[in-house]
Amino acid sequence: VVDMLLGIPPLGNKVGDIGSAPPLPSSVANKVAGVAVFGNPAAKFGNPVSAAAPPYTGKGIDVCNDGDPICSGGRNPFAHTNYESGPATNQAAGFIAGLL
């Protein structure tokens, strides 16, 4: 959903209303300091939030744990379930703080 709000197309076919979220209006962009996404599946397929188009260019960070198969070619399914206990939160917070 975060990807779609930044104008990044959804992965695969939509299911019902899921996958049809319109992007945020560009008039909101100046109110968004930064965006951090953890375990973003779109990053695995070359559509990370860090590559968002204007007006969100440079405002996003994709954090992917080593081995997470959801956001990378990893093979450890448990890597997708522990973002809150590793260095990911500090990495994301540091990126966002640097934008403020």
Side-chain angles (χ1 to χ4, degrees):
V1 172
V2 171
D3 293 325
M4 290 182 283
L5 290 173
L6 298 181
I8 297 168
L11 299 172
N13 296 325
K14 65 181 187 174
V15 178
D17 289 335
I18 298 172
S20 60
L24 290 171
S26 58
S27 61
V28 182
N30 65 342
K31 294 177 173 52
V32 176
V35 177
V37 181
F38 300 89
N40 184 6
K44 182 176 180 177
F45 298 99
N47 290 324
V49 297
S50 58
Y56 299 101
T57 303
K59 292 185 174 189
I61 184 173
D62 293 87
V63 182
C64 184
N65 281 340
D66 288 339
D68 185 340
I70 303 300
C71 53
S72 73
R75 294 177 171 241
N76 179 1
F78 301 106
H80 190 71
T81 62
N82 66 353
Y83 281 95
E84 73 284 350
S85 62
T89 53
N90 286 338
Q91 181 184 2
F95 174 80
I96 300 294
L99 296 174
L100 299 177

